[in-house]
Amino acid sequence: MQVATCNSYHAKIESTKLLTMPDGKSVFKVYYVSIVGRPTPERFEWDRNPLKKADYEKAFLASGNEGIGFITAFPHITKVFRYSPQAEVLMLVKAFNSQTGEEIKLDRGEGYVEFACLAEAIIAAGEYRFWGEATNVDDYLRRWCPLEDAPVQSSVKLKSYWER
């Protein structure tokens, strides 16, 4: 296995918004997340990115997404997590470029697909728990994961371990 150099990672879950889609049934919880401390903050931090959250929301509302779930919205990538209409005990995920709306494939090679970064994993764990505990969709939609700091202390531990 070849292990690549990894960028630093310190995510901040900044704000949230509930978006009801034009169909009146589909609803997504939006978690706005920035990655701070990278050399190009305009790419990774909402307050330094030219895309404003209101414009992002307008584009998402026009996207045609359906279902119930949540979104992790970074300035450079968005992941839509929804509960499967075929088996609502499953969570499905797709990704797109937050700036352009173009689909991003989550295939990472060798049969693996990207699930989540740390902030997304924290949010997904909480949201899945809320889904499981809720007796109906309204109960689910009332609960939000706390806005917290999500730093990775070392982004070289796998590389260091593998190459020793």
Side-chain angles (χ1 to χ4, degrees):
M1 182 167 84
Q2 298 235 350
V3 181
T5 301
C6 182
N7 286 322
S8 65
Y9 183 92
H10 183 171
K12 298 222 179 228
I13 303 168
E14 297 181 353
S15 62
T16 59
K17 176 88 180 232
L18 189 66
L19 290 182
T20 301
M21 302 302 283
D23 67 10
K25 287 188 174 185
S26 299
V27 182
F28 292 91
K29 299 177 185 181
V30 182
Y31 289 87
Y32 286 101
V33 187
S34 290
I35 302 174
V36 298
R38 287 196 173 165
T40 53
E42 65 280 359
R43 180 166 190 250
F44 298 104
E45 297 179 32
W46 277 106
D47 64 349
R48 296 185 181 194
N49 191 277
L51 179 62
K52 300 303 169 215
K53 291 176 184 175
D55 294 329
Y56 171 87
E57 291 163 11
K58 184 178 176 182
F60 188 80
L61 287 169
S63 70
N65 280 283
E66 293 180 309
I68 304 296
F70 62 96
I71 299 165
T72 56
F74 294 81
H76 65 293
I77 187 172
T78 292
K79 288 188 188 162
V80 179
F81 296 81
R82 74 171 189 174
Y83 299 98
S84 173
Q86 290 78 28
E88 69 176 70
V89 296
L90 300 177
M91 187 184 296
L92 309 178
V93 63
K94 70 177 180 178
F96 63 90
N97 181 308
S98 301
Q99 304 293 309
T100 66
E102 293 177 35
E103 181 182 359
I104 295 175
K105 298 289 186 190
L106 296 175
D107 178 8
R108 296 293 181 235
E110 299 180 36
Y112 290 93
V113 295
E114 178 181 326
F115 161 62
C117 65
L118 178 58
E120 291 168 331
I122 290 169
I123 294 166
E127 287 292 326
Y128 221 149
R129 189 171 26 260
F130 300 157
W131 183 255
E133 292 170 353
T135 57
N136 58 57
V137 171
D138 291 329
D139 286 346
Y140 165 73
L141 293 173
R142 280 192 271 277
R143 296 180 70 188
W144 291 85
C145 293
L147 306 180
E148 63 180 276
D149 218 15
V152 170
Q153 298 303 316
S154 171
S155 59
V156 298
K157 60 185 152 282
L158 180 59
K159 186 170 181 58
S160 296
Y161 173 84
W162 206 259
E163 293 177 354
R164 67 176 180 194

